[in-house]
Amino acid sequence: MACEYCYYSSKGSISDAFQRMSDEILETYISQHIQAHPGPVVRFSWHGGEPTLLGIDFFKSVVGFQQKYQPAGILIQNGIQTNGILLDETWCRFFKKEGFTVGLSIDGPERLHDTYRVSKSGKGTHSRVMNGQRLLQKNHIPHDILCVVHHHNVDHPIEVYQFFKKIGATYIGFLPVVNSPAGSVDPEKYGAFLCSIFDEWKAHDIGTVNVQIFEEVSAAAMGQDHSLCIFRRTCGEIPVVEKNGDVYPCDHFVRPTYKLGNLNTLPIGKLMNLTPMKAFGKNKKIHLPSTCKSCDVLTFCNGGCPKDRIQEIPGSTIKLNHLCSGYKQFFNHCLPFVEQLQMLVQKPTATGRNSPCPCGSGKKYKQCCLTQ
């Protein structure tokens, strides 16, 4: 494929999808990853370019090396992100046997998906991707949908969401295009996109469809830490290893100035504890714009992903997240839902059915939140 918004295309040969990591480096990486991980679950994420281009034999080697270095009592999980075009029954049997979870990239119905997700000859890929999705369903392989939100599908939130429901999606993630070869999605439109889908989800699909950013909202409401790195206070916990063993602090910062080292000369566990890695993680919070620090919804986004901080602020060298206004729109839209969730968490603290309701309504607890 040759997706027009692909940020990998700007990285040059270092991320050439057709060059394979050697077995020597692969084994070194897997052994170091397992050793450096705190456990009890060690997760591996395989992604692009397009990882299925490497063939099943590559991933059989992956599993073999994982089994070789797997300590007793440690569970190893693999996830793979794919465009789905090369999936067939052989791939599905492998995924099923080895317990792989799959992330499948689909941007909605055909006319919206094929706007940017095209082959190298410029042809649409939707029908081939959907064939892959049907194979995953047929073989009962857990798979998430990753939808890139761009200039075209952002104007059709309900159509996109209803399409995913129609094909049986139970977990959906939305990835907004920012500063890519195809430009950046309009932040206000992205905010409206999320708000529309949230209202539809809240009315009909709570408990049946999981939407990643809605789960992040719920986690914040419960006082839990974000699982999605872009909304955490600091970065630096999800490094990327390139095919030659070079290690970088983040998939979006594979640039010479951010290179931490090479796992052939220093183990990944030690690279993760180097000063540059720790500084990279802390810089997200340190370089938070002053407008963010006083924002009512700071706990929901924490300034967003540093790669998206491209908007100039007059009189400041620190930049604002391109999606800021959209995030504000969406998270403020969610506040009533968040307050309800917080109330549900507080319910057990009520002293009795006839006590004043902790929500402050003035009603008795049995006449208010107890019935919700």
Side-chain angles (χ1 to χ4, degrees), residues 9-180:
S9 63
S10 63
K11 292 182 180 181
S13 61
I14 191 170
S15 292
D16 187 341
F18 297 101
Q19 294 186 26
R20 181 187 186 279
M21 178 182 282
S22 70
D23 282 346
E24 291 76 18
I25 295 177
L26 181 64
E27 181 173 6
T28 299
Y29 161 60
I30 288 174
S31 65
Q32 291 182 9
H33 182 109
I34 293 173
Q35 186 176 11
H37 204 283
V41 180
V42 180
R43 295 180 176 87
F44 286 84
S45 177
W46 307 98
H47 60 111
E50 174 51 45
T52 59
L53 285 168
L54 296 173
I56 288 179
D57 286 345
F58 177 86
F59 289 97
K60 286 181 178 178
S61 296
V62 164
V63 173
F65 291 140
Q66 289 173 342
Q67 292 172 346
K68 179 179 178 179
Y69 294 100
Q70 183 176 9
I74 295 296
L75 176 65
I76 292 179
Q77 294 181 341
N78 287 288
I80 186 170
Q81 184 66 38
T82 177
N83 59 37
I85 285 180
L86 295 181
L87 297 185
D88 56 19
E89 290 288 353
T90 304
W91 272 108
C92 289
R93 283 194 297 271
F94 172 78
F95 289 152
K96 188 74 173 179
K97 178 177 180 290
E98 303 300 343
F100 273 59
T101 58
V102 179
L104 188 63
S105 299
I106 310 176
D107 290 355
E110 184 173 8
R111 68 184 185 87
L112 299 175
H113 174 97
D114 285 349
T115 303
Y116 288 124
R117 298 191 68 80
V118 296
S119 67
K120 289 192 174 182
S121 62
K123 295 181 179 179
T125 61
H126 190 266
S127 61
R128 298 167 68 189
V129 173
M130 291 309 302
N131 180 64
Q133 195 263 345
R134 286 188 290 270
L135 283 169
L136 293 171
Q137 281 188 326
K138 173 186 172 184
N139 288 277
H140 306 288
I141 296 166
H143 59 283
D144 307 338
I145 300 298
L146 179 62
C147 173
V148 175
V149 184
H150 50 70
H151 291 301
H152 297 278
N153 61 6
V154 73
D155 292 322
H156 306 279
I158 301 304
E159 181 183 356
V160 169
Y161 182 64
Q162 292 290 2
F163 170 78
F164 290 141
K165 286 179 58 178
K166 182 179 178 181
I167 66 173
T170 57
Y171 194 94
I172 308 166
F174 293 111
L175 179 65
V177 170
V178 178
N179 205 25
S180 81

Side-chain angles (χ1 to χ4, degrees), residues 90 185 246 291 298 346:
T90 304
V185 68
D246 286 345
T291 53
L298 174 62
Q346 295 170 2

